[in-house]
Amino acid sequence: MTIELKVRNIDGSLCVDLPEEMIARLNVREGSLLYLAETEDGGYLLVPDHPHRERILAKAKEIMKRYHNTLHRLSQ
């Protein structure tokens, strides 16, 4: 599915209005963060969650586990 979005200027900022259907499918509201994820073919995907969040969290957990004692001492 392709949805056309018109770019508008509101108070000096470029904005797009998201159709209600897209808002519902993305499960977002005012203040939500959306991410533009670049695809391999040079296009973009609009996603409601950071595309690498799981990988980032897994790496953070690995680091916290590996350096638990050091991090504990630093927190004191």
Side-chain angles (χ1 to χ4, degrees), residues 14-27:
L14 295 180
C15 306
V16 294
D17 290 323
L18 300 177
E20 289 296 324
E21 177 185 335
M22 184 182 283
I23 291 169
R25 290 185 69 182
L26 290 169
N27 192 28

Side-chain angles (χ1 to χ4, degrees), residues 14-76:
L14 295 180
C15 306
V16 294
D17 290 323
L18 300 177
E20 289 296 324
E21 177 185 335
M22 184 182 283
I23 291 169
R25 290 185 69 182
L26 290 169
N27 192 28
V28 295
R29 61 182 184 279
E30 185 176 344
S32 295
L33 293 177
L34 293 172
Y35 298 89
L36 277 178
E38 189 171 1
T39 61
E40 291 180 8
D41 64 356
Y44 291 94
L45 292 173
L46 183 64
V47 293
D49 198 4
H50 192 282
H52 304 296
R53 183 176 68 88
E54 291 300 322
R55 192 172 76 201
I56 292 167
L57 289 175
K59 189 64 173 177
K61 286 178 184 178
E62 176 188 323
I63 290 168
M64 287 186 285
K65 184 177 179 180
R66 183 184 309 151
Y67 297 105
H68 173 76
N69 292 336
T70 302
L71 293 171
H72 180 72
R73 287 183 184 166
L74 286 172
S75 70
Q76 296 176 350

